[in-house]
Amino acid sequence: MNKKARNIGIEVMQVPTQGSSTDKHDPFFSSLSLRGMALVGKVISSKAARTVKIELERLFPLPKYERFEKRRTRLLVHNPDSVNAQVGDIVKVMECRPISKTKNFVIIEVIKKHEST
């Protein structure tokens, strides 16, 4: 079944051309609505089915020492068949309704593909 991708309301560089009819959590080819935060992170694991773990780095201020320290946050994110991000990719994720106990975000685009050497 070849459906046309719907407009998700967020500007993405590449809109997927085809998706899976079995993935009901695909923002482009199902009715999953997006809201809230948009974050950019790096995929560090893709062992689970349609789920990837991403890592977000941020600078946290230490007022006592007048410096910043690096901190990281790891999120479990839904990886739709139409996007199919791999380990090492830089991805843009968007908040959505809870998909499972730990997944509240979905990948909407791959910003930079990982070059395999």
Side-chain angles (χ1 to χ4, degrees):
M1 186 170 163
N2 198 0
K3 291 177 14 179
K4 187 178 180 210
R6 71 183 184 97
N7 183 5
I8 61 171
I10 287 88
E11 197 168 313
V12 293
M13 299 302 276
Q14 277 192 322
V15 177
T17 55
Q18 66 182 34
S20 172
S21 60
T22 60
D23 190 359
K24 63 182 180 180
H25 302 297
D26 190 332
F28 296 100
F29 298 99
S30 71
S31 62
L32 182 72
S33 61
L34 303 174
R35 74 242 176 139
M37 294 187 287
L39 305 168
V40 175
K42 183 177 182 179
V43 177
I44 57 172
S45 173
S46 64
K47 293 180 182 176
R50 291 187 182 148
T51 302
V52 294
K53 187 185 290 188
I54 67 165
E55 187 173 80
L56 312 165
E57 284 200 1
R58 65 188 193 281
L59 293 175
F60 182 78
L62 297 173
K64 178 180 177 181
Y65 299 108
E66 298 179 0
R67 289 180 174 78
F68 293 89
E69 72 178 4
K70 281 186 184 177
R71 289 195 178 177
R72 65 184 182 206
T73 300
R74 292 182 175 185
L75 296 172
L76 289 177
V77 178
H78 184 69
N79 187 14
D81 295 334
S82 61
V83 176
N84 196 20
Q86 303 297 322
V87 175
D89 292 350
I90 306 295
V91 295
K92 184 175 183 180
V93 300
M94 191 86 186
E95 191 175 4
C96 63
R97 64 175 177 76
I99 294 173
S100 70
K101 180 180 175 182
T102 57
K103 288 197 302 189
N104 296 313
F105 288 85
V106 63
I107 297 177
I108 57 172
E109 79 175 306
V110 176
I111 296 174
K112 184 178 177 189
K113 284 278 193 192
H114 176 69
E115 298 94 24
S116 55
T117 55

